[in-house]
Each structure stands twice: as structure tokens, then as C-alpha cells.
Amino acid sequence: MPDPKPAGGSQATNTATGNATVDAQIGYVEGDAVFHKHETIYQVAADDSPEKKFQVARNLIDGGVPRPAEDLIRQALNVGYASTEVAYYYAISVLSERSLNQLGANELDKLEHAIRVAEREPHDEWWAAIVVIGELVQCAVDPDSAPNPRHAALRVVLDDFRALVQQRQAEITRHLDMIFSGAVQEELDRLNSATVAAERAKGNRADRAWKYFHPDPTSPRRGTPPPLRDGEPRSFAWAVTAFGVVVFGLFATLDVRTSGMSWRSLWPRMLFVVGALVVVWSGSEALTSYIRRRMREAEHGRNPAEFDEHEELGIALNATQKFASATWKRVRYYFAVRGPIRNTGEWAMKTKGIQAALHWRLVRLYSAGRVEVTTLNWLIRWYAKQTAEQWRAGSLPDFRRTLRPSPSTVLSVGVGAVVAASGAVLQFVSSVALGFLPTLLSVPQVLTACAVGGGVMYLLGDHRARAREQEVLDELFEGEKREFHRWEQRLRDRPTDSEMAHWLEYDKSHLKTLAMRRCELNSREIIAHVVLTAGKPRAMRARVVNGPPRFSRYVVLVFLLTEHGVREVDVDLNFLTGAIYDERRTSFRYDALASARVLEKGFQSAEGQQHVVLLGRDVHLTDKSALVISRTFELALVNDQTIEVVVDNYEGLIDDSTAEDKSALDTMALDSSGVAIALHILEAVAAEGREWITREQDRRTRRWREWERGRRRIVALIGRPWPLTLASGRGPAEAS
């Protein structure tokens, strides 16, 4: 499994000001941001069929996003798409992620509507499940029922619950968790105690969860050798050769007309030509090594860090420069991770050129088009791994040593130069004997012939250099293709977003139980509970279209509200394995809670106005008209102690090509993190203190009575005296 620790990213500084001390402070996540744009399980159009809307709603419920699901199922019901299954999931969507204190007349109306829809359909397993939901909700909200473990009605409800198939039991327990309390919660916890551990590890989580945070890899592209200085030397060589040929032909023609052609004047020229050909051929071989070395030096000598300097200075970068900057952070990170534990300074120095060359090649090949840098992680990681293996084997490539002309080539050049020089001298001597004009013409002939030979020699050397570099790149390309197919195969069983939500929900359930155990509390002592989740700093992030962000590491805070005060337990959760670290506990009385609020950091401005945004040590220049950097849930105590939970925005996890509602995403982030529920409960606690317990019970009773009076015919949610007897035929009397 690849190292899950991400590269680069940004971090928003999260500090406590004034005299505040931080008990549990969760910072802005600065890890890899992976957006699975190909996943469309949460996408639906306004004109889609009710069947499609219901299916998407099912996906949203499984993914822990009930509010949009509730709206979609309502739309389906309004056009007559009804069944016991649809009614059941409508009830689930209404109740999921809502606390008992949030159940008002509107929610009860929706639940009753779901039950009425189901009553008109054939009674099947979905009907049995929705009846159990109605019974459990009435247990929770009806003040007269006041069930306890020995209450006959409660025993009937639990028997009905146990009669459901395992999947329905798991769904009801998961989605109605915030509603249950007291004896109901205690019995359900007991029934599901063995299930939680199994569900947390279900689906081979330890071997698959990490794959969610890796995007589909971009297929490799065949590289081509970069021309030196944009091909200027080659162009110059062509110009010199062409000019030399023309000039040499002119002077040779004049020479023939003035001196004639005899064996005495011809053989020195032949000797010169033979020597020149040897020099050109062997010299081009030597130049091949030189040009290849210069090509490598041009790549290895680049300074990718210049983009970091531009960013720090607030200099605007174009799309290619932004890609180059992000790619360099990945290259630098993976080489640091794969490098040796010791001698890190030597490793960085020895591989500096290799990193620069890899970075430049990636920029040349992938900067054009909308290639996400994260989709190249597999390739960068592969090169870093190969370099580390070469380092350990003592075979780190050194092109300055290997790309040298052989001694035989140098010797051939020398011999050819001597022969050519001898021919030139003899030609000059023979021309002197023929007179002044032949002597004068022999000098430019030799010089232009040398120019032509030099040009041809460079062109041959450049052609060979590019051909041999292409062979090297083709070999690399074949290796990249093999690694690409291997990596693609590894990601084939990447978990779905629903599986990620499933694991997280059972992690939260497990951590709530763990917190109760640490605080020596049972379910009957807990009036309400809240579980908050937020990504740890430097955690990897990923999401699908219209889905909430998922994190590789979380900080989880569990608030247990009892009659005497609040117990808070927070832990670090490695989501990839389910391992739990660094438990921290805090207790405080209700009168110690000063306030609960959500603070938003961001800006709004006119279109086209640029802003320099400081995120930790990273400086970003943005021209967005509005940006929410973070939303912070702040719980302040009277002793100046502060508990903060930062709800990350979707920066880096949104593609402008997808039509997503940004405000809906922000609301989803608040809901999925638990902040919306926490704010609803803890604001009331902060305002009312310990009296919140009595007042909330009174409010709950009043809401129920008002709703019941509004339905004068209705004694219970299911329209008949509660509890309803199911197919088992058992009622309260028989159960007792």
C-alpha cells in the first residue's frame, strides 16, 4: 500500500486568540484533494424520471446525505411513484441525521405521510420496517409511553425490530441513532453490539479504503527529446551547411577554371576529403555524447522552485505555471518520502537533478489539457521508488560519466584531423606552384569545406543524439505502461462513496460506545449525544460529484449530555485502518458553557478583483468573487477554554465543469460533520444551562401534543393505538 501521507497542499492557520486555551482544535486539512468526477451516483436532473430520482436518493441515504434525498423522494411521491420501499426510505431520509430535539410537526407530518403511503400498498418487509420506525419514533417522542426495559410495549417493538432482516435493522439503527435515547437506545445497543465491529471491517476495509483517496491514473505519454535551446543550434548548423556548400561550390568552380584538374592538384584534395569524412563521422559520434549530455544538463539544471517564489510573492501564475508548481511539490514530496532515513542531505543533493528532469518532462507532456496533478502521483511515486532502489544499490545514474565519447572515437577524430590537415597543407603547396590566384582560391575552399564538415557533423550528431534519447524514452515509456496497468488493476476494487460513509458511521457508533465506557455511563444516563468529525491536518481528501468530502484521517469529538453535565471525548481516527489514537477527555457543567457558534472566514468582492489568500505558509492569488476559506464551530467555556471544529470548504475539490450548487455543498459539509446538529443542541444548552434538560423535555411534549391535536383522529403515527401488532399477531398483553 502506498504511503497515505499527502504532499503539499495548503493549511489555514487555526489559532485561539485572547486568553483562550485550546482543548481540541481541528485545523484546515492540507492533504491531497481528489475529485472523482466520473462518479455520478449523486447526480440527477430536474427532468429525470421518478425512478432515477429515487435511485439517486437511495445512494444519497447510503452516502450519509439525507437532506437532498428527502427532497428527491418527496418529488417522486408527488408524481405518484409510490411503494412500501419508497415510503420506507422517505421515512429514513426524514429522520436521518436529525436529533430528537429537531423532530417537530413538519417532520412528523412527513413521517405520517410515509406511513399512509405504505398502508395503501401490499404489506411486505418494507411495510414491517416502516411500522417499526413509527413504533420506535413514538417510543422516543410520546411522553406518556416513557418506556423502560421492562415495559411490555417496548418489548413488543424490539421483538418486531428483531424480526426484520439484518439490513433493515442496520439501516434503522444507523439513521435513527440521534433520535434514540434511554431504554430504547440501551436495548438497541445491546442488540447491535456484535454488529458494529464486523461492519467497521466489512468489505476488506484495511486493504481497500486507501484506494478511495487515489484518482484514476492518467495514462502515460510517450516523451520526445527536448531540442537544445529550442532547436537553435540545429537551425544554425543547417544554415552554415547550406551556406558553406554554396560558397564552396563557387570557389571550387573558379579554382577548376583557373588551375585545371590534374593528378598533382587532385590527390591532396582527395586526402583532405578522406580525412574530413573520418572527422565528420567520428566527430558526429563524439558530438552525439556531448549533445545528449547537454540535453540532460538542460533538464537537470532547471530550478522548479522558482514557481514557489512567485507564489510567495503573490505573482499571478498562468495555467501551465500553476501545473508546474503543483507538480514540483509532488515530485519533491515523493522523493523525500522514498529517500533514505539517514543521509537525507546527500540524497537531496544527489537526486536534485533527477527530480528537476522528471518535473520538466511531466510539465512538457501533461501541462497541456486538463490533467489533474493528483492523477500523476502514481508515476512520480514510481520514479521516486526506482531512484531510491538505485541509490541503495549504488547504481544511481550519472550521465556526465556515462555520456562520454569512447577513446577509439577520440582517436579516430584525431587521426582524421591529421589526415585532413595534411591534405589541406599539400593542396596549399600545390596551389602555390600554380600561381597567385589558385593559391588565393585554395584558402576559402578549405575554410568553407571545414564549415560544411562542421555543420554536417553537428547535424549527424544531433540526429543520433535524438534517436538514442528517443530509445531511452521509449524504454521508459514501456516501463511506465507496465506500472500504469499494474496501478490501474490495484484500484479496480476502489470502495464506493456509500462504503466510505458506511464505515464512518460505524466508526462513530463505536467511538460513542467507547466514550460511554471511558466515562462510565450507560445509555439511560445520556439525554442526548453529538458526534463531530473533521479531517486532521495533512489528511488526504476525496469526494464524488455532489457528495461530502471524505478524509483519510479524522479527529472525532463525542459529546455526551447527561443530567449533571457534558462529557467530551475526542480521538484521532485513522480511517484507512479504523485504528484509534490519542484519546482526550474533558468534562464540564452546563453552567460552564458560555456559547456555541459558527464563524465563517472568507470574502466577497466584485468580479475580476484579485485577492492574496494566506493559507498557513502557502500564498495563493485568486480572482474568485467569493470564497469561504473555512467555517469554524466554536464552543466557548466560561474559563476561557475553547473547543473548535473547523468545517473545511470544498476548495480543491470542485471542478468548474461540473454543475454543483456551492451553497448546497457548504450546507452538506455542516451536516456531514455533525456541526448542524451540535449547534442546534449546544446553543440551547449554552443559553439555558442545566434547565435545558427540563425545558427541552417540555418543548418535546408540547410539540407532540400540538401535533397530536392537529390529527384528532390519530392516536399514533400509524393511525391505530400504539403499538401496532405485526404479522406475529402479538400485542402488549401477549408480550408481557
Side-chain angles (χ1 to χ4, degrees), residues 61 88-89 91-92 95-97 125-137 157-158 160-180 184-185 188 192 506:
I61 291 171
Y88 165 77
Y89 281 108
I92 288 289
L95 300 173
S96 182
E97 299 298 330
E125 65 169 290
W126 304 103
W127 160 250
I130 198 171
V131 167
V132 169
I133 289 175
E135 294 174 333
L136 288 171
V137 169
V157 174
L158 294 175
D160 291 342
F161 177 81
R162 280 190 291 265
L164 299 176
V165 297
Q166 183 62 42
Q167 186 176 353
R168 299 292 85 74
Q169 292 184 38
E171 286 176 342
I172 292 172
T173 303
R174 169 187 169 185
H175 293 287
L176 274 65
D177 177 67
M178 296 296 299
I179 292 173
F180 301 143
V184 176
Q185 183 67 68
L188 291 178
N192 291 282
Y506 279 96

Side-chain angles (χ1 to χ4, degrees), residues 581-602:
Y581 304 95
D582 302 334
E583 180 182 315
R584 303 165 290 275
R585 279 179 279 171
T586 303
S587 299
F588 52 90
R589 303 183 311 277
Y590 286 118
D591 55 8
L593 182 58
S595 66
R597 56 181 179 168
V598 172
L599 307 175
E600 181 178 296
K601 295 180 181 179

Side-chain angles (χ1 to χ4, degrees), residues 339-354:
I341 299 176
R342 300 175 182 176
N343 301 325
T344 55
E346 183 181 0
W347 162 262
M349 182 183 66
K350 293 287 187 180
T351 62
K352 180 180 179 181
I354 297 174

